[in-house]
């Protein structure tokens, strides 16, 4: 029915109708290449050139682009990274989050992660075999990484940016050092990169995990730890549920730590969020949350590197994946985000859209 409607709209010149129906067709069949192609054509005709470019990029990645689509994609991709002129804000992040990322779980973990930092953080970078002074990266040195890193942090509105330490002899990507003050450790595989788009993707993906709302998901603890701190707060909020009986000794210690370490007003805020979560009547799926947060981090990487080919390549070679999603699943979600309304709006907001 939608295909018939799309054809009728096309015959009568109703391009908005064509676009609407083909987006619905993609919702039914996510890799319906013919709909990608119709959208490319319709966006060109309506002078929505950035949206057309995004469709051409997806077609190119799927190895389904025509000569016209491939040429259009390559022409506006450019040879180097395009810098954003805007910065992300709270509303922008709502567009960025993967739809499976439960917002209430996200903000509950944000409060718990910040409040329990002393409990789970390492004493210093020495635990990583690093020297506190000698291995700290001087971002003023003339190195491509040192240029890309502060740019990405500023665009993400993650200020001040976490300090950076270098483990030059290891391929470890970018990871949370999990020490007192926000700190990342980069491996030589990242620091020595000379491709600006690759660096932008890797840094953006890594720094997404350093955001307060994702931080505790990247400290190297198993998913069971996330579940435990979540359930401990649940028991503090609604003791009548009887969750405390299932926490065990470690869980009860965490419950006590939450009650004693998190300031009263902050704890009340966390409990208010927890009551909203409990009202939904759902079990907390922290494994799913971790997977969706990684999809969100990948979305950030694509947004700031601007090239789906580069993003997919980086996903495939990632040395430290955090969620349980397969590479195939991550790439699939990447492609779908690259043609979404949310991606179009974010590119517009950051001044990355063609013609902006």
């Amino acid at each position: 029915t939608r295909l018939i409607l799309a054809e009728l709209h096309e015959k009568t010149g109703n391009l908005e109708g064509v676009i609407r129906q083909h987006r619905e067709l993609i919702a039914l069949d996510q890799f319906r290449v013919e709909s990608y192609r119709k959208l490319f054509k319709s966006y060109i005709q309506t002078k929505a050139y950035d949206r057309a470019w995004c469709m051409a990029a997806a077609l190119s990645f799927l190895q389904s682009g025509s000569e016209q689509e491939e040429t259009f994609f390559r022409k506006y991709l450019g040879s180097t990274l395009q810098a954003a002129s805007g910065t992300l804000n709270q509303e922008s992040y709502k567009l960025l989050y993967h739809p499976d990322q439960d917002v209430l779980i996200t903000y509950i973990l944000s409060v718990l992660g910040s409040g329990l930092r002393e409990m789970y953080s390492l004493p210093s970078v020495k635990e990583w075999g690093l020297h506190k002074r000698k291995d700290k990266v001087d971002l003023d040195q003339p190195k491509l990484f040192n240029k890309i890193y502060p740019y990405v942090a500023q665009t993400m509105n993650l200020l001040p940016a976490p300090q950076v330490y270098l483990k030059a002899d290891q391929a470890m990507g970018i990871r949370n050092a999990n020490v007192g003050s926000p700190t990342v450790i980069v491996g030589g595989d990242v620091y020595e990169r000379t491709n600006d788009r690759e660096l932008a993707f890797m840094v953006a993906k890594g720094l997404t995990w350093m955001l307060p709302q994702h931080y505790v998901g990247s400290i190297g603890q198993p998913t069971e730890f996330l579940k435990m701190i979540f359930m401990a707060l649940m028991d503090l909020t609604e003791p009548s549920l009887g969750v405390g009986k299932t926490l065990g000794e470690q869980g009860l210690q965490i419950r006590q730590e939450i009650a004693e370490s998190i300031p009263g007003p902050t704890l009340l805020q966390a409990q208010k969020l927890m009551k909203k979560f409990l009202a939904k009547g759902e079990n907390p799926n922290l494994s799913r949350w971790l997977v969706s947060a990684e999809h969100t981090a990948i979305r950030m990487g694509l947004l700031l590197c601007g090239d789906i080919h580069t993003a997919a390549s980086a996903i495939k070679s990632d040395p430290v994946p955090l969620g349980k999603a397969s590479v195939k699943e991550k790439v699939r979600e990447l492609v779908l985000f690259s043609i979404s309304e949310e991606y179009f709006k974010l590119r517009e907001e950051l001044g990355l859209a063609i013609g902006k």
Side-chain angles (χ1 to χ4, degrees), residues 99-126:
D100 287 345
Q101 185 173 340
D102 189 298
V103 176
L104 285 173
I105 291 178
T106 298
Y107 286 108
I108 289 168
L109 289 179
S110 173
V111 175
L112 291 175
S114 299
L116 299 175
R117 184 78 63 85
E118 289 188 11
M119 181 190 77
Y120 63 72
S121 63
L122 300 174
S124 74
V125 292
K126 290 180 181 179

Side-chain angles (χ1 to χ4, degrees), residues 4 7 17 54 70 74 95 149 166 195-197 209 219 244 270 287 290 300 302 345 356:
I4 292 169
E7 290 172 350
C54 292
E70 191 71 38
R74 294 293 171 188
L95 293 173
Y149 184 83
L166 173 62
N195 184 300
D196 54 2
R197 287 196 180 104
W209 285 109
I219 61 174
S287 180
L290 201 59
M300 181 74 83
L302 172 63
K345 291 174 183 176
K356 298 297 177 184

Side-chain angles (χ1 to χ4, degrees), residues 327-344:
V327 169
K328 185 177 180 180
E329 289 169 326
K330 292 174 190 175
V331 172
R332 173 184 172 277
E333 292 297 319
L334 175 78
V335 174
L336 295 177
F337 177 60
S338 78
I339 61 164
S340 68
E341 288 291 325
E342 291 81 6
Y343 184 57
F344 300 157

Side-chain angles (χ1 to χ4, degrees), residues 49-295:
Y49 296 123
D50 191 65
R51 295 179 179 222
W53 182 83
C54 292
M55 301 309 302
L59 285 164
S60 174
F61 178 73
L62 295 171
Q63 298 181 334
S64 300
S66 65
E67 183 178 351
Q68 180 195 13
E69 292 153 355
E70 191 71 38
T71 300
F72 189 78
F73 165 62
R74 294 293 171 188
K75 178 181 178 181
Y76 290 102
L77 175 64
S79 58
T80 57
L81 177 71
Q82 181 185 355
S85 58
T87 56
L88 295 172
N89 55 39
Q90 194 170 1
E91 292 304 310
S92 307
Y93 277 101
K94 291 178 183 178
L95 293 173
L96 187 78
Y97 287 145
H98 187 273
D100 287 345
Q101 185 173 340
D102 189 298
V103 176
L104 285 173
I105 291 178
T106 298
Y107 286 108
I108 289 168
L109 289 179
S110 173
V111 175
L112 291 175
S114 299
L116 299 175
R117 184 78 63 85
E118 289 188 11
M119 181 190 77
Y120 63 72
S121 63
L122 300 174
S124 74
V125 292
K126 290 180 181 179
E127 304 294 322
W128 292 87
L130 293 165
H131 191 279
K132 188 175 181 180
R133 178 177 51 82
K134 294 179 181 178
D135 292 320
K136 188 174 182 181
V137 173
D138 180 1
L139 293 172
D140 291 327
Q141 292 298 311
K143 191 86 174 176
L144 183 60
F145 175 89
N146 298 343
K147 179 181 178 182
I148 297 293
Y149 184 83
Y151 155 70
V152 169
Q154 182 176 348
T155 306
M156 288 176 58
N157 219 356
L158 181 60
L159 299 172
Q163 57 188 347
V164 186
Y165 278 81
L166 173 62
K167 208 164 178 63
D169 60 343
Q170 290 192 21
M172 58 188 300
I174 299 180
R175 63 172 66 184
N176 186 348
N178 187 25
V179 292
S181 58
T183 302
V184 296
I185 300 175
V186 299
D189 58 321
V190 173
Y191 193 70
E192 297 301 330
R193 294 264 172 172
T194 57
N195 184 300
D196 54 2
R197 287 196 180 104
E198 288 177 351
L199 271 175
F201 178 88
M202 292 173 176
V203 171
K205 182 175 179 290
L207 286 185
T208 303
W209 285 109
M210 299 301 290
L211 293 167
Q213 58 265 40
H214 297 141
Y215 190 97
V216 74
S218 63
I219 61 174
Q221 291 280 0
T223 310
E224 191 59 36
F225 174 78
L226 298 179
K227 185 175 181 180
M228 197 173 293
I229 64 174
F230 195 90
M231 300 296 279
L233 177 64
M234 187 182 290
D235 189 52
L236 267 175
T237 305
E238 292 289 348
S240 61
L241 293 174
V243 174
K245 297 176 183 178
T246 67
L247 288 176
E249 185 178 345
Q250 185 184 5
L252 290 173
Q253 287 177 348
I254 290 174
R255 183 188 188 279
Q256 184 176 351
E257 192 76 29
I258 291 172
E260 295 176 356
S261 300
I262 299 180
T266 306
L267 182 56
L268 284 173
Q269 178 194 3
Q271 289 177 313
K272 185 178 179 181
L273 291 168
M274 180 59 78
K275 285 180 180 179
K276 287 184 178 180
F277 179 81
L278 291 172
K280 296 198 299 180
E282 299 175 0
N283 288 322
N285 188 333
L286 278 303
S287 180
R288 183 183 184 189
W289 179 84
L290 201 59
V291 168
S292 61
E294 184 165 26
H295 287 316

